[in-house]
Amino acid sequence: MSSLNDLHLLREFVQIADSGGISRAARVLGVAQPTLSRHLASLEAQIGAPLIRRDTRTMRLTDAGSIVLADARELLTVADRLGSRLRAERRALRGHLRMVSVVDVGQWIVSRVLSRFQRQHPDVTTELHLINRPTKFIKEGFDCGIMVGAPTDRRVTIRKIAKLHRRLVAAPSLLKYHSLPIRPDDLNDLPWLGILQPHFYSRDRVELERSRQVKKLKLSPVMLLDTVTALREAAIEGAGFTILPEWMAARDITAGRLVQLLPDWHLAPIDLQIAHSAHEHLPQRVKSLIEFLEQELPLEIHRLDLNER
């Protein structure tokens, strides 16, 4: 026997033997008697021998039926034990997870959410790699990852889970020596700080929107830095203007360390994505982590956007 349906047929056969007849077993199982008879006939056809001798009043197992009954009880016990073990595994996850994230989102956001996941599942160990370079996701052995920008590995499944709102900012010290920009073109007179990795969109280009207007600027950076946190520090120091995510910029704007430029114009939000192997059969610990991240990351970003953390 090779079909998974055979397990169901064996379970029905055991019930017939325990009940002493097809009609009583049908009542216990909640199926129609003709249906149960057909299932028994199917099992006998697969075995290649009759399992039950029956007349109008009695039912008895054949020699083959006695052998199959003993083996079926053992097989069903193992199957039930396996099912219980798998259900317990889902409730109490175990194992190791390797995760990757873009640096700043990983430092500020993913590390917090991952800590809460580990607290709920103490038998799961995790490692979080913070990388801004394009990754070969599968080759480098990551279970899942948090990404920004264009995908760099075509062998993964990617879903958008949140939007990162952004602001154009500069330090008050910079604006002492440069006029406050009134129009997008005025930004050409300010030194620009760009992100080093080109797949993050904001290396040397800025696209601003207002109502139905769109303004695209091509800028020459005076500095290219590898992380958004480094951009923030350089901007606070007055090295130039840059783009920061809302969750990072809001606190500095409130404290007066940074000023939002061109507040009547806005930058389109960028997508925060979760990636995992395109393989269908992910371990349960990976599935549970992905579900947790999909739920918790947008909430954590929202709290940071509101300056609540």
Side-chain angles (χ1 to χ4, degrees):
M1 294 183 290
S2 59
S3 171
L4 290 176
N5 291 330
D6 296 337
L7 197 64
H8 182 64
L9 296 179
L10 288 174
R11 198 177 295 279
E12 290 182 337
F13 170 64
V14 170
Q15 186 61 59
I16 292 171
D18 290 344
S19 300
I22 294 177
S23 60
R24 286 193 289 272
R27 287 194 294 271
V28 172
L29 294 170
V31 300
Q33 182 175 336
T35 299
L36 192 56
S37 295
R38 287 196 302 272
H39 290 178
L40 176 60
S42 175
L43 181 60
E44 289 176 325
Q46 293 184 57
I47 296 294
L51 301 178
I52 293 175
R53 300 290 185 195
R54 47 194 182 274
D55 54 31
T56 55
R57 295 187 178 182
T58 62
M59 183 207 82
R60 64 183 178 84
L61 295 175
T62 64
D63 291 343
S66 297
I67 295 172
V68 170
L69 179 62
D71 288 345
R73 290 191 192 281
E74 183 177 348
L75 180 59
L76 291 172
T77 297
V78 173
D80 291 342
R81 188 184 304 128
L82 176 60
S84 297
R85 187 176 299 168
L86 290 174
R87 287 189 292 273
E89 179 71 15
R90 291 188 183 99
R91 291 191 295 270
L93 301 177
R94 291 178 176 83
H96 188 67
L97 290 165
R98 295 186 78 244
M99 186 178 176
V100 64
S101 173
V102 290
V103 174
D104 303 282
V105 174
Q107 285 178 328
W108 286 67
I109 301 172
V110 178
S111 58
R112 296 175 177 179
V113 175
L114 192 59
S115 297
R116 295 200 288 271
F117 177 82
Q118 203 279 329
R119 190 161 58 244
Q120 290 186 15
H121 305 286
D123 291 327
V124 175
T125 57
T126 59
E127 56 184 88
L128 175 61
H129 297 248
L130 303 179
I131 300 172
N132 274 353
R133 62 167 172 80
T135 58
K136 294 299 181 182
F137 195 94
I138 304 300
K139 185 177 180 180
E140 295 182 48
F142 294 118
D143 293 304
C144 66
I146 301 300
M147 309 171 72
V148 173
T152 57
D153 192 334
R154 301 297 179 182
R155 294 175 297 170
V156 298
T157 296
I158 296 176
R159 292 196 299 276
K160 300 174 184 178
I161 58 172
K163 289 188 177 296
L164 298 178
H165 298 278
R166 304 176 295 161
R167 295 196 194 186
L168 206 60
V169 296
S173 61
L174 179 72
L175 300 176
K176 288 181 180 179
Y177 304 99
H178 297 271
S179 299
L180 182 69
I182 305 300
R183 302 168 302 168
D185 286 336
D186 295 339
L187 295 173
N188 290 304
D189 298 327
L190 298 179
W192 163 247
L193 310 175
I195 193 77
L196 185 62
Q197 300 294 341
H199 63 288
F200 288 159
Y201 304 129
S202 54
R203 181 187 178 100
D204 58 1
R205 299 177 189 276
V206 173
E207 184 172 314
L208 296 167
E209 301 176 3
R210 185 178 67 179
S211 300
R212 296 183 180 180
Q213 295 178 276
V214 176
K215 183 66 176 180
K216 297 180 180 181
L217 299 174
K218 179 74 165 62
L219 302 169
S220 298
V222 296
M223 292 177 66
L224 289 172
L225 299 167
D226 195 32
T227 70
V228 178
T229 301
L231 285 175
R232 170 184 177 267
E233 296 300 320
I236 290 173
E237 193 63 25
F241 79 102
T242 193
I243 295 172
L244 294 181
E246 178 75 24
W247 49 266
M248 184 180 288
R251 191 171 304 175
D252 291 323
I253 292 171
T254 300
R257 291 184 289 267
L258 293 172
V259 174
Q260 182 176 0
L261 304 179
L262 301 177
D264 292 339
W265 293 78
H266 71 274
L267 298 149
I270 58 176
D271 294 322
L272 189 67
Q273 305 155 340
I274 190 164
H276 60 82
S277 167
H279 196 281
E280 293 180 356
H281 304 294
L282 295 174
Q284 186 59 42
R285 63 184 179 275
V286 178
K287 291 181 182 178
S288 297
L289 176 60
I290 290 170
E291 291 170 1
F292 191 82
L293 293 169
E294 287 179 322
Q295 176 180 332
E296 292 296 319
L297 281 178
L299 297 176
E300 186 69 21
I301 291 169
H302 183 64
R303 284 191 287 266
L304 285 166
D305 281 351
L306 296 178
N307 202 11
E308 293 180 355
R309 290 295 300 268

